[in-house]
Amino acid sequence: MSERTPEEHRTLVRSLFGRPGVAISCLWLGVGLAWLGLAIAEPSAFRYFVAALWLIMGGGMLVVALNDRAERNRQRTSSGLARAASGPLSDRSEHSDRNAP
């Protein structure tokens, strides 16, 4: 079996889950827990199956949502560091031009 590249894996995950939010993922997990409660209260193979389906999908969406959030934070941090590194130098040159006689 051939291994997938990160881009192929990302495409597969996006086709399954899209771009879920953390709140939506938690909602799916909550519905899964409710189904699990029903399955425990009145045992049925169908209820266990539905609970497992909701929990697996909610967990997958939560992983994708948190991974997306971490990626956005990494991009913000790296662009913020680049701006911070260039920002004070450009401010100094502007101030020195204004104060020059």
Side-chain angles (χ1 to χ4, degrees):
M1 186 175 224
S2 66
E3 291 191 29
R4 293 186 179 120
T5 64
E7 187 61 35
E8 289 172 339
H9 178 70
R10 205 170 290 125
T11 303
L12 175 65
V13 170
R14 291 290 171 225
S15 65
L16 288 174
F17 301 115
R19 294 201 179 269
V22 174
I24 298 297
S25 304
C26 290
L27 182 67
W28 277 62
L29 288 171
V31 171
L33 289 174
W35 271 99
L36 187 60
L38 286 173
I40 291 171
E42 295 178 27
S44 165
F46 174 74
R47 288 185 178 157
Y48 281 113
F49 174 75
V50 172
L53 188 65
W54 279 97
L55 290 171
I56 290 169
M57 293 295 288
M61 280 197 273
L62 186 62
V63 167
V64 170
L66 292 176
N67 192 20
D68 286 348
R69 180 181 283 183
E71 183 65 30
R72 281 193 307 267
N73 288 341
R74 278 192 293 269
Q75 288 174 353
R76 255 189 234 139
T77 302
S78 64
S79 67
L81 291 175
R83 267 189 272 135
S86 65
L89 295 176
S90 63
D91 289 343
R92 287 183 193 151
S93 63
E94 288 176 12
H95 293 304
S96 64
D97 290 342
R98 277 188 262 161
N99 295 333

